[in-house]
Amino acid sequence: MPLARLSSTSRIALPTAIRRNLDIHPGDTLEITQQGDLIAIRKVTGRFVDALDTCASPVWRDYAGELSRDKDQWDR
């Protein structure tokens, strides 16, 4: 089992084998959760904005288009 040490700035380095197995690269988003004394780190495979598009509510649908139309009105 690979071990990691917490640095003086509270950072950890993920072992190379784990980064390669999970295809984790600098800049990737990781979700960190705690369950009792267990810490789980999971690679986030999508963008949160994209997740809004799958919401049941139609409120978020075409939000980018609405913002673009509003901006065009402000620029007049």
Side-chain angles (χ1 to χ4, degrees):
M1 175 185 330
L3 299 176
R5 179 167 287 157
L6 190 66
S7 75
S8 62
T9 57
S10 297
R11 295 173 186 245
I12 61 168
L14 297 176
T16 302
I18 292 174
R19 290 194 321 267
R20 286 182 181 156
N21 286 340
L22 295 177
D23 195 31
I24 295 174
H25 302 282
D28 286 349
T29 301
L30 305 174
E31 177 185 56
I32 303 170
T33 57
Q34 175 192 356
Q35 295 176 349
D37 63 349
L38 174 71
I39 298 170
I41 301 173
R42 181 181 72 85
K43 180 180 178 181
V44 176
T45 57
R47 294 180 8 186
F48 293 110
V49 174
D50 293 337
L52 288 176
D53 195 38
T54 63
C55 289
S57 171
V59 172
W60 297 105
R61 306 235 192 279
D62 195 36
Y63 189 64
E66 184 178 337
L67 286 176
S68 180
R69 288 188 296 277
D70 288 345
K71 182 182 177 302
D72 290 342
Q73 291 178 352
W74 299 333
D75 290 340
R76 291 183 188 172

